[in-house]
Amino acid sequence: MTTTTNAPRRQLRRAQLRPVLPFITLAALYVVTVLISPGYLEAAQIGSLLQLAALLGVVAIGQALVILISGIDLSVGAVVTLVNLTTAAVLDGNDANLPLALLASLAVGAAAGLFNGAVSLSR
């Protein structure tokens, strides 16, 4: 009598499932969120989430480039927060200040990047 095991099949299924598992988890979290707060199905909310995801995507690409050149930069989150605070402070609830807020934010972000670069190169 021969016995066959299903271990190779289970390993194959796990290997096939591994790349899609983050998407399944994301979908499950979204479903739970919609059940808790039905307003998440509204078009305005989905648009807002996509805008935030786009911003985080740009930051993630920048961080990936740093990691690709064998570095690590833990200040990315702090610099993004500093730029956001600068923008909010300059805008001060007045949309007419938008050009000035954009220039101030770019200047603060560039200054933080220049400082980080100088500190990194000095080591």
Side-chain angles (χ1 to χ4, degrees):
M1 205 190 303
T2 61
T3 58
T4 59
T5 62
N6 288 334
R9 282 189 185 172
R10 272 189 249 139
Q11 288 176 350
L12 181 62
R13 283 188 211 143
R14 285 183 188 162
Q16 291 172 337
L17 186 62
R18 185 167 292 167
V20 295
L21 194 57
F23 298 109
I24 293 170
T25 305
L26 180 65
L29 285 173
Y30 192 74
V31 167
V32 169
T33 303
V34 168
L35 291 175
I36 292 171
S37 176
Y40 264 71
L41 285 176
E42 295 176 6
Q45 182 64 31
I46 293 171
S48 177
L49 287 172
L50 290 175
Q51 286 178 345
L52 289 171
L55 173 68
L56 289 175
V58 170
V59 172
I61 289 170
Q63 185 66 35
L65 292 174
V66 171
I67 291 171
L68 283 174
I69 59 171
S70 301
I72 185 83
D73 186 4
L74 300 177
S75 68
V76 172
V79 171
V80 169
T81 301
L82 179 64
V83 169
N84 286 338
L85 289 173
T86 301
T87 304
V90 173
L91 276 176
D92 198 28
N94 186 0
D95 289 342
N97 294 338
L98 185 60
L100 181 61
L102 289 174
L103 287 174
S105 299
L106 286 172
V108 167
L114 183 65
F115 177 75
N116 284 340
V119 169
S120 295
L121 288 177
S122 68
R123 286 195 245 153

